[in-house]
Amino acid sequence: MDRTSLIAEIEARGLRDTARSGPLYRRLAQTLTGLINEGLLKPGAALPSERDLAEALKIGRVTVRTAYRDLLNAGTLESRHGSGTFVSAKVERMEQSLWRLSSFSEDMRSRGRVPAARILSRTINKPSPEEAFLLGLGVDERVLRLDRLRLADGLPLAIDRSVVPVKFLDDTAGGEGSLYDALTASGHRPVRALQKLSAVTLDATSAAALDVAAGAPALLIERVSRLEDQRVVEYTRSHYRGDAYDFVAELRIGDEL
């Protein structure tokens, strides 16, 4: 819906109709919500600036600002620094099992989605002392550090920061494809892992990459993966969008109880 059509639709819905209850800013917020719920304003659609909308509707700028504020607080709209105000993108929530070790690409394909990765950083160098201890490496061995934005059907869902000993991979591996596929091809697919989940908020850089507001909630998953012979093959820290994922686990009462 372009700006002219939006203004006309708001006017047609009786914004100034005194029979409608509530202050003007609330009526404007209700009208915009109705347009969004009916699909006339699509997810990701840009809204006019406060000034432009106020001038077009011949109402006070404070009225528009208050309506936008209420819709931002409700999550109906989102503000992007330097870009403006947009209809919030609706993300289909997904359940992810905590008990199954699989790659992001495998998970997305199983849901009928097209996985992709965008490389944010890729370096090969010596491990830090902490990484050397965690991965069981000598300080002179080399590791691949790979930071990637993970997408499904073009929508950014997670940021993976992986550290893998180069001895388990070809130097050219670890790009836009599945890291687990690359490890499998080299005969080093992980078979077990220990994962730790934490609730965090996103810094401005990570939030921008995931197309959410700075400070948005996320799930941090730290994973240490091992081969059949117990060697550590991967250490990954992943930030998953909090509005997109639910992690689930099946729990059973132990036989001894």
Side-chain angles (χ1 to χ4, degrees):
M1 177 178 287
D2 60 26
R3 179 179 177 278
T4 301
S5 300
L6 174 62
I7 303 303
E9 190 64 37
I10 293 174
E11 293 282 15
R13 295 186 180 219
L15 179 65
R16 296 182 182 81
D17 186 353
T18 55
R20 294 179 61 184
S21 60
L24 188 57
Y25 79 85
R26 187 170 299 161
R27 281 180 265 157
L28 175 58
Q30 291 170 344
T31 299
L32 291 171
T33 300
L35 294 171
I36 292 168
N37 291 338
E38 293 168 25
L40 296 176
L41 276 175
K42 304 293 185 182
L47 293 181
S49 68
E50 294 173 2
R51 178 179 179 178
D52 287 350
L53 188 58
E55 290 180 352
L57 294 173
K58 296 180 173 58
I59 59 178
R61 185 171 177 178
V62 172
T63 297
V64 177
R65 180 181 302 129
T66 307
Y68 277 9
R69 181 201 63 196
D70 283 5
L71 294 177
L72 287 165
N73 290 339
T76 305
L77 300 181
E78 59 186 30
S79 179
R80 301 177 189 171
H81 182 68
S83 298
T85 304
F86 299 79
V87 178
S88 293
K90 295 181 179 179
V91 179
E92 178 186 352
R93 296 190 70 87
M94 293 176 285
E95 287 191 354
Q96 175 66 41
S97 172
L98 289 173
W99 296 109
R100 179 173 178 267
L101 179 58
S102 59
S103 70
F104 178 90
S105 297
E106 291 170 335
D107 291 337
M108 293 304 107
R109 291 189 192 110
S110 70
R111 293 179 169 89
R113 296 189 166 196
V114 179
R118 185 180 306 154
I119 298 175
L120 303 177
S121 174
R122 185 186 187 280
T123 61
I124 295 177
N125 42 36
K126 295 180 180 180
S128 68
E130 180 184 3
E131 291 168 347
F133 175 79
L134 185 65
L135 296 168
L137 299 176
V139 293
D140 291 326
E141 295 189 67
R142 295 185 304 156
V143 295
L144 167 68
R145 290 192 184 89
L146 183 64
D147 294 357
R148 297 183 299 170
L149 178 66
R150 308 312 308 271
L151 307 98
D153 295 338
L155 180 69
L157 292 179
I159 297 173
D160 285 343
R161 296 180 172 91
S162 302
V163 183
V164 180
V166 169
K167 64 185 178 183
F168 295 133
L169 285 171
D170 182 274
D171 279 8
T172 61
E176 297 180 354
S178 168
L179 183 59
Y180 275 25
D181 285 350
L183 287 168
T184 299
S186 69
H188 298 103
R189 182 179 177 85
V191 297
R192 58 178 59 87
L194 179 65
Q195 294 192 145
K196 181 176 76 173
L197 275 72
S198 305
V200 298
T201 56
L202 294 168
D203 60 32
T205 301
S206 297
L210 290 170
D211 200 17
V212 296
L219 291 169
L220 168 62
I221 298 183
E222 297 180 85
R223 182 175 66 246
V224 177
S225 302
R226 295 179 181 272
L227 301 173
E228 191 68 53
D229 61 9
Q230 294 301 312
R231 287 182 296 171
V232 177
V233 68
E234 169 211 21
Y235 171 58
T236 293
R237 288 169 51 89
S238 301
H239 287 84
Y240 286 81
R241 286 177 56 159
D243 62 345
Y245 273 90
D246 291 314
F247 286 85
V248 298
E250 180 182 2
L251 305 178
R252 297 183 181 180
I253 295 177
D255 294 337
E256 67 276 9
L257 300 179

